[in-house]
Amino acid sequence: MRKKSRLGIMGGTFDPIHFGHLVTAEEALVQFNLDKVLFMPTGQPARKTNRSVAPSEHRYLMTVVATASNPDFEVSRMEIDRPGLTYTIDTMRELRDQFGPRTDLYFITGADAVWEIVSWKDAQDFQGLCKFIAATRPGYDLHEPLAVEQIESKGLHVDYIEVPALAISSTGIRQRVLGRRPVRYLLPESVAAYIEKYGLYRGEGS
Ligand code: NAP
C-alpha cells in the first residue's frame, strides 16, 4: 500500500516574507519529513483589521519570488483568492477535500499565533484535520500552562521547532524600509528589489 504523504502548509501574512520564514519552512520540511511545503499567504487577516497590510497580490508575489528556486516549496493563491476575512479552518477543510485522507496536513506558523488557536474560528474542528508546527526563536518561553491546557482540551496537537533566524521579523523590516535603513541579508535580494520597485512600506499611501 502507498505510504501517506505529508504536506506542510506555511501560513503567514508574509508582509514581507524574510529569511526567518524560509529557514522555518526548510527546518520543518526536514524535521517532520514533509514531502512539500505549500506557502499560504493570508488573504485578509481576521486579526489585522486595525493595521494596514500590503495588498495581498504583492504579498503573494513576494512569496513566489522568494521561494522560486526551491523545488520543495510551492505557493498557493487559495487564501488570497477567497473572498472575505481569512480563516485557517476554511483553508484546512478545502485542502482536506483536495488532497483526501491519504495526505497528512501540518500547519506551520509562528508560536505567538499558535498560542491563540483555541480562539480561532471552529477551533475544535482542527482535530483530525491537521497538526500544528509552531516556530519559535531560541529562548522563547514555551511554558504557558493555560494555553497548553486549552489547546490540549480541544484535542489539538502542537509540535515546536526552534529557529534562530526568527530573530528577523516582518515588523522590523517594514520599520527599516520606512526609516531608509538597509534590509540586505534579512530577506532575499529579489524580495528587497520588489519592495523597492513598488515602493512598499514607505509610509502613507505606499
Ligand atoms: P502574526 O500574529 O502576525 O505573527 C505572530 C508571530 O509569528 C510573529 O512573530 C510572526 O513574525 C511569526 N510568524 C508568522 N507567520 C510565521 C510563519 N509562517 N513562520 C514563522 N513565524 C511566523 O501571525 P499572522 O501572520 O497574522 O498569522 C499566522 C497564521 O495564522 C496565518 O496563516 C493566519 O491566517 C493564521 N491565523 C488564523 C486565524 C483564524 O483562523 N482565526 C487567526 C489568526 C491567525 P513575522 O511578523 O516576522 O511573520
Side-chain angles (χ1 to χ4, degrees), residues 10-13 18 21 42 47-48 87-88 107 109-110 120 169-170:
M10 179 73 173
T13 309
H18 53 67
H21 299 128
T42 308
R47 303 278 165 94
K48 292 201 166 88
Y87 296 103
T88 302
F107 187 76
T109 196
W120 292 5
S169 79
S170 298

Side-chain angles (χ1 to χ4, degrees), residues 138-156:
Y140 187 94
D141 187 7
L142 293 177
H143 302 288
E144 293 257 9
L146 189 59
V148 171
E149 199 180 299
Q150 286 177 337
I151 290 170
E152 286 177 355
S153 74
K154 299 260 183 201
L156 307 180

Side-chain angles (χ1 to χ4, degrees), residues 61-87:
L61 287 172
M62 287 189 281
T63 308
V64 170
V65 297
T67 56
S69 63
N70 189 329
D72 296 321
F73 291 173
E74 285 181 19
V75 188
S76 172
R77 293 189 62 92
M78 184 179 283
E79 290 192 350
I80 69 162
D81 285 345
R82 187 190 302 136
L85 294 178
T86 302
Y87 296 103

Side-chain angles (χ1 to χ4, degrees), residues 7-87:
L7 175 67
I9 299 102
M10 179 73 173
T13 309
F14 303 132
D15 194 23
I17 189 164
H18 53 67
F19 282 131
H21 299 128
L22 295 165
V23 173
T24 299
E26 184 69 15
E27 197 61 34
L29 183 86
V30 173
Q31 275 195 37
F32 291 85
N33 201 17
L34 305 176
D35 295 294
K36 191 189 343 177
V37 175
L38 185 61
F39 282 70
M40 186 64 70
T42 308
Q44 295 180 48
R47 303 278 165 94
K48 292 201 166 88
T49 46
N50 57 347
R51 98 155 165 83
S52 73
V53 172
S56 56
E57 201 64 39
H58 281 317
R59 293 183 289 104
Y60 167 77
L61 287 172
M62 287 189 281
T63 308
V64 170
V65 297
T67 56
S69 63
N70 189 329
D72 296 321
F73 291 173
E74 285 181 19
V75 188
S76 172
R77 293 189 62 92
M78 184 179 283
E79 290 192 350
I80 69 162
D81 285 345
R82 187 190 302 136
L85 294 178
T86 302
Y87 296 103

Side-chain angles (χ1 to χ4, degrees), residues 3 11 19 21 24 31 33 45 54 67 76 91 95 99 102 108-109 114 128 131 148 156-157 174 177 181 183 195-196:
K3 78 169 177 58
F19 282 131
H21 299 128
T24 299
Q31 275 195 37
N33 201 17
T67 56
S76 172
T91 306
L95 289 171
F99 287 93
R102 298 217 51 82
I108 312 158
T109 196
V114 168
K131 293 179 178 172
V148 171
L156 307 180
H157 182 96
R174 291 195 303 273
V177 174
R181 283 180 291 151
V183 293
I195 291 170
E196 175 76 24

